[in-house]
Amino acid sequence: MIGDLLSPSVGGVDSAVYGVGTLGMLVGVVVVTWLLRDDALDAEAGRFRYLMVIPAFAALSYAAMTAGIGVFSVNGYEVEGARYLDWLVTTPVLVGYAGHVVDVDRSVVLGAVGLDATMILTGFVATTTAGTLRWGAFAVSSLAFLVMLYVLFVQYPRRANTTTPERKRLFLRLRNQVGVLWLLYPVIWLASPVGFGLVSTLGTAMLVTFMDVAAKVPYTWVVHEHRGIFRFDREATSDDHDAGGLGDRAGRDAPAATAD
Ligand code: RET
């Protein structure tokens, strides 16, 4: 298996699909580079370096998959190790960054990140085992996913400390993207050869690549669209606190944003 992991095998249509995925992720790298290079923005407040991890790590992971690195077979299935490593690193950033936007209490963000990592790790177990263990791991992963969504949709708004209308709007855009797009991943898993085999290996590669690019690149673009939040001169309006929940202060402490 170690031999499988280390010997690259370029070729096949999967490789071409992952090549397109790599290019897609590079678009996200360009978008975050613009944010980092914009002198009018406070890159520290925007945590743009963390945001960069999302497309950059994925681009590396897709480049590895294009080269056939990290692929191994278990129980007759091809498993992309680089994909799970990518998910393990980048999905917690997607979840954590949405919390950062409205300054959610650290303990709550860590809870969501922990559930997310549990979901990916147990998902990997489900993918690489068979029988009862596989379905047990799938159930644990799905449960962690549902509890994580509860934290994002219920706890995050309650424990948000900075809820100017603009921040709230960006948060909702990012959070809702996670809530909607991510639901398709377990469905694709079930339909793939690892699940019920309704979709071929190539079909699964195409679907997951499309989903990964859709979950990451528009995320960076939405932050770019709302970059005004992180302008140096906006600090004063975005630093107040709210114990009562995300909805309570809407419209009170900053001029209404018009763009969306
Ligand atoms: C698995 C299978 C086990 C059950 C569940 C899954 C969920 C995976 C998710 C992945 C999200 C990935 C993203 C990648 C971005 O590039 C592991 C497929 C619940 C939700 C957003």
Side-chain angles (χ1 to χ4, degrees):
M1 195 167 105
I2 295 294
D4 279 353
L5 276 171
L6 297 178
S7 59
S9 59
V10 191
V13 195
D14 293 31
S15 224
V17 172
Y18 295 140
V20 174
T22 311
L23 294 177
M25 294 304 180
L26 289 176
V27 174
V29 171
V30 169
V31 172
V32 185
T33 304
W34 287 343
L35 285 170
L36 279 164
R37 293 186 154 211
D38 190 333
D39 288 341
L41 304 179
D42 185 345
E44 208 51 55
R47 301 274 206 281
F48 299 144
R49 271 178 296 133
Y50 293 97
L51 193 65
M52 181 60 107
V53 171
I54 297 170
F57 199 91
L60 288 175
S61 140
Y62 267 88
M65 290 193 275
T66 307
I69 297 170
V71 61
F72 56 96
S73 60
V74 178
N75 306 325
Y77 312 118
E78 296 264 284
V79 178
E80 295 288 353
R83 167 174 303 147
Y84 284 87
L85 189 61
D86 168 12
W87 289 358
L88 187 62
V89 171
T90 62
T91 58
V93 182
L94 289 160
V95 164
Y97 192 84
H100 162 68
V101 168
V102 284
D103 190 18
V104 173
D105 288 345
R106 204 179 150 78
S107 59
V108 177
V109 175
L110 286 179
V113 164
L115 285 160
D116 180 291
T118 305
M119 169 185 86
I120 302 300
L121 287 172
T122 51
F124 183 70
V125 173
T127 304
T128 52
T129 56
T132 321
L133 182 54
R134 153 173 307 195
W135 292 108
F138 180 83
V140 174
S141 178
S142 302
L143 187 67
F145 183 33
L146 291 177
V147 180
M148 185 199 80
L149 287 179
Y150 170 82
V151 174
L152 288 184
F153 279 79
V154 180
Q155 294 296 112
Y156 266 30
R158 279 192 195 150
R159 306 282 291 273
N161 295 302
T162 307
T163 55
T164 60
E166 293 134 314
R167 278 184 178 253
K168 189 178 156 194
R169 184 169 295 139
L170 173 56
F171 164 70
L172 292 176
R173 292 275 301 265
L174 300 177
R175 196 270 322 260
N176 292 346
Q177 263 191 33
V178 170
V180 176
L181 282 177
W182 292 27
L183 286 171
L184 290 174
Y185 280 92
V187 177
I188 295 172
W189 191 93
L190 285 172
S192 76
V194 185
F196 296 111
L198 305 173
V199 179
S200 68
T201 304
L202 175 61
T204 306
M206 292 170 85
L207 284 171
V208 176
T209 302
F210 175 79
M211 290 299 301
D212 281 357
V213 173
K216 287 185 163 111
V217 178
Y219 191 104
T220 62
W221 181 250
V222 168
V223 175
H224 186 268
E225 270 186 325
H226 291 71
R227 64 194 177 283
I229 291 169
F230 303 115
R231 282 170 67 113
F232 280 110
D233 55 7
R234 298 303 298 268
E235 275 298 283
T237 58
S238 62
D239 206 22
D240 47 350
H241 289 267
D242 166 30
L246 198 57
D248 298 347
R249 306 175 59 105
R252 248 179 73 185
D253 46 12
T258 47
D260 202 19

